[in-house]
Amino acid sequence: MAPRVQLEKAAWRWVETVKPEDIKLEHIELAYRIRLPACKRGTCRRNCKGNPNCLVGIGEHAWLGEIDENAFHNIDDPNSERRDKNTFVGLTNLGATCYVNTFLQVWFHNLELRRSLYQCHNSICLDNYEPQSICEHLQYLFALLQNSNRKYIDPSGLVKALGLDTGQQQDAQEFSKLFLSLLEDTLSKQKNPSLQNVIQQQFCGQFSYVTMCNQCGRSSALPSRFYELELNIQGHKNITECVTEFLKEEKLEGDNRYFCECCQSKQNATRRIRLHSLPPTLNLQLMRFVFDRQTGHKKKLNTFISFPEQLDMGPFLEGKQGIYQKCVYELSAVLIHRGISAYSGHYIAHVKDARTGDWYKFNDEEIEKMEGKKLQLGIEEDIAETVKSQTRKPKCSKGYHCSRNAYMLVYKVQEEESLDPSRTNVEVPAFLQRLVDQDNHKFEEWCNEMADMRKQSVDKGKAKHEEVKELYELLPARDGEQYEFIPLDWLKKWLDDSTATKEIDCSLFLCSHGKLHPDKVGDSKRVSLQAAQLLYERYGGGPRLDASSLCRECVGQRCRVLRLKNQLNEDFKEVSNLVKRTLSGEGYWVGKASLRSWRQLALEQLEEDEHETKHSNGQTNGQGPHTNNIKEGTEEEMKTFNEDIVCSHGGLSILETERKLVSSDVWTKLREYFPKAPEFTENQEPCQQCLTLEQEEKDNEAVSKMMALDQKNQLLNLFHEKNRPTLTKWPQGTDVLYIVPLFFVDEWRKFIRRPTKSSPVSNVGNTLLLCPHGGFMFTYDSLINGDAQHVALLWPNEWDVISRLFIVDQPISLHCFRQTTPTGSTTQYTTQPDLCWECRESFLFQQQRDLREYTQATIYIRKVIEDKRMVKEAAPELNASSSEAEEDKDEHPKMDGEKDPDFSQIMHAFSVAPFDQNLSIDGKSLTDDLATLGSLGVIPESIICLKADEPIADYAAMDDVYQVRMPEEGFKGEHSTGLLQYL
């Protein structure tokens, strides 16, 4: 079938030879494309919108072929949510809680910890039970992980109880410490003595910090407990090297010397860690996330570390306890962080099943069993696409593994094999099992409900399938049979089972005459009367559009418009020639702008007429949707032909230069295109109201000119700003000067210069310079020092003229009193009215307050470097002093898009860590962390000098500083507190 545009043209080609009054039924049927041949299945790749008889490609293919029952529903098989036999249960990721899920799976597989938690006291009421404490939440969660029928469960109860933000990823290593500490505190309050020390018994070891004085040889030991060993991995290749560095001897010299109690003075000494005892579960934290001094943020170390499946800690133990203690450990869990950033990524846990020895990968909801009872890190190590410098994975010996993403290793002490099943079997207590059974019952009910919904959808789809097969065969309307039009969109939705079928709505297809609009034929389909009857009986709707709904009026109007569009160019040439001829006979007034753009207006009018019957929104006389697109140059926007000579009162415009007299032949031709245009004959009188207003305006302008000339002559020096008095040198021969607002003088000069364009000034407006009490707001000294920019000074004779010409609210004068004494002469100045000291002080106080309290002001930071030559070369905008910085600010204007860093960005702008920053202003150090900017004398446009300390290699200090939370915005005056703690 031909494209839609070609079908449109073919439907109206007959208008070239048929006038509107000669239209017959055959022409109407051509316009509505009744006789177009119907398309056959397989001939159209998609539906022909321009052909109302094409019923192919509207969605019928989904129903006429073989039917798949799964196509009738979008409900997944509920059994896909069911836990498979002999598998573990996963945990839902609540947004950014994968790090929590990994630790929960590791702790769940610690059988001793799980068994102890189950023994905790719990007062459970089965009716609507909700866990309250952390211990209760963990009990219930472990019971579900053990015996739930679900493939994965939701840990939101525990996460909420812990107060974790599910949308923000926390420090996983810090979370492990805090949670074990919280759990230890909870269990210590249990009445059962065997439960009070579970965490210590499972995870706690002992070491001591031993310091030996080099002078006297005395050693002191500080015992301590640990729940995990934090091992530095930078520069190391395997766990042995990491543990060795952890225990190595440290020299205390120089400023870091040790105060010896025996010597009673600071002495050089050595310090080391002695490992005394190890716990059954040994947690090794690999410090992958370290503080980067250059960026001020933590970064991840992607160093490969080798670790064994069996770890012998005997060589690292000291003392007699190491002889008797079991020191050989087996790897039981590896926690992985995938990603290159310390602030994002994904956490996965590899855990060994204590009962079977099989390894499993826990990835939130997904759980994968490893083959051959071996740990397989697999793609967790594949981050080559995100790491800039790829390092080759080292070869690992048998029994060893290498990882650059492992951040925690869990080892369990090796025990002799036992045939006692009670050691590996952990039974869920009855009170918890009842809760699990309740949840399993809810799950089974949900599965049954989903299965019923799937069955109902399938049954409904089969019924719809039979209906479509029956009706689709009846849809085509054969020649000579009765027919109706149905919206194409409705037919598509009827055939689309994913949407509910609504009633048939044809109201949007109606023209202004209540019949089918010709333009809507492409969006509807012509179907047989029998098919239409069945569809309306089943779905209802309307109005129904049959053969009687073909609109003769719309077709006739479209015919007239199309013929005029074809004729427009010829008529334009004819009108252009007729306008040039000498006028004879009766004439008509036409606007010159309308005459210049009448072809454009006519084209827009015809385009509007083509659509004026659509939804009864048609407008005439060129007031269509395209009228705003007239090009500039048509004397503003022309909306209606000849409107440019219609005045605001609806009469003929008095501006004769904007209209032209044309012949009746020209006007008759134009009226064909603009039948509702305003008509003015040659004898039409111009609007009398406009003539009266024009005369009044001329009279007012003459009065304004006379007034301006009179005022200018009387105040000539004030107008030209000549011979003006000044306060810095009081003029001789006068003891008084008068003050008026400068705003009054400026407005008065505007009126004098353009009296016909500006309004005359009537009031001096001295109240602008007075306080609410009527007192003057300025002193003589303040006027000299800058406040005079708001006022104008007048001579007494000028004041006499102004007081006669204008309304004066309150005269304001400045008086000079000279007095000669034996010791010399003095001069005093007073104002009338007197100065209001109360308001003056309030005004000054507000000025000072504005300098102290501000928001969104600019504060400059300049870095001080000892070698100023380096400053100018490296960063010319950074200088050591405030005066130099001000000059430099003028010499080096900022480029577009540049801006000074706010305080929260000092560290990033200058690469200076917070603890290395020394800040000062005007030589005064800024050291008070709790002070505000205003109280420190930092006002808008101030320059703060930044001097950086030499860096120190103290990684612990860097980590401590990093814990300080950075503000999200720059400082805002009094609203910003703790200056130094945020810098």
Side-chain angles (χ1 to χ4, degrees), residues 716-878:
L716 195 60
N717 285 343
L718 180 61
F719 177 74
H720 290 296
E721 295 189 76
K722 292 182 178 179
N723 190 25
R724 306 314 306 150
T726 60
L727 294 178
T728 53
K729 185 177 181 182
W730 188 275
Q732 297 293 327
T734 182
D735 295 331
V736 61
L737 294 175
Y738 289 87
I739 296 175
V740 294
L742 186 61
F743 175 77
F744 159 75
V745 177
D746 291 340
E747 292 299 309
W748 174 74
R749 286 185 180 133
K750 290 180 183 178
F751 169 68
I752 299 302
R753 292 189 182 99
R754 305 184 68 184
T756 61
K757 301 295 184 182
S758 303
S759 301
V761 181
S762 60
N763 197 312
V764 175
N766 272 353
T767 53
L768 295 173
L769 306 178
L770 302 177
C771 73
H773 311 107
F776 193 47
M777 288 293 293
F778 307 102
T779 65
Y780 175 78
D781 292 335
S782 71
L783 289 172
I784 290 179
N785 294 327
D787 286 341
Q789 62 181 333
H790 306 296
V791 303
L793 298 177
L794 303 179
W795 298 104
N797 62 326
E798 292 177 332
W799 175 253
D800 293 339
V801 174
I802 284 180
S803 61
R804 292 197 313 272
L805 296 178
F806 306 99
I807 299 173
V808 179
D809 308 270
Q810 170 70 53
I812 303 176
S813 57
L814 185 63
H815 299 265
C816 174
F817 297 98
R818 299 181 179 88
Q819 185 177 2
T820 304
T821 64
T823 59
S825 60
T826 60
T827 304
Q828 293 182 346
Y829 302 95
T830 62
T831 60
Q832 183 65 34
D834 293 336
L835 176 70
C836 181
W837 285 106
E838 179 183 352
C839 294
R840 175 67 182 172
E841 290 178 359
S842 176
F843 173 74
L844 294 175
F845 176 78
Q846 186 61 41
Q847 278 188 326
Q848 292 300 319
R849 185 175 180 179
D850 290 343
L851 290 176
R852 296 193 310 270
E853 300 180 9
Y854 47 86
T855 59
Q856 301 296 344
T858 300
I859 305 295
Y860 295 97
I861 308 297
R862 295 292 181 256
K863 186 176 181 182
V864 180
I865 302 178
E866 295 298 332
D867 188 351
K868 292 188 178 181
R869 180 182 56 81
M870 291 176 59
V871 173
K872 292 182 179 290
E873 291 178 0
E877 75 278 6
L878 306 179

Side-chain angles (χ1 to χ4, degrees), residues 347-362:
Y347 291 88
I348 298 172
H350 291 262
V351 184
K352 184 178 182 180
D353 184 4
R355 297 175 304 162
T356 64
D358 294 326
W359 279 92
Y360 290 84
K361 181 172 75 172
F362 293 87

Side-chain angles (χ1 to χ4, degrees), residues 927-933 935-936 976-981:
T927 57
D928 188 352
D929 288 355
L930 301 178
T932 62
L933 295 177
S935 66
L936 292 172
S976 59
T977 59
L979 172 68
L980 299 181
Q981 73 183 45

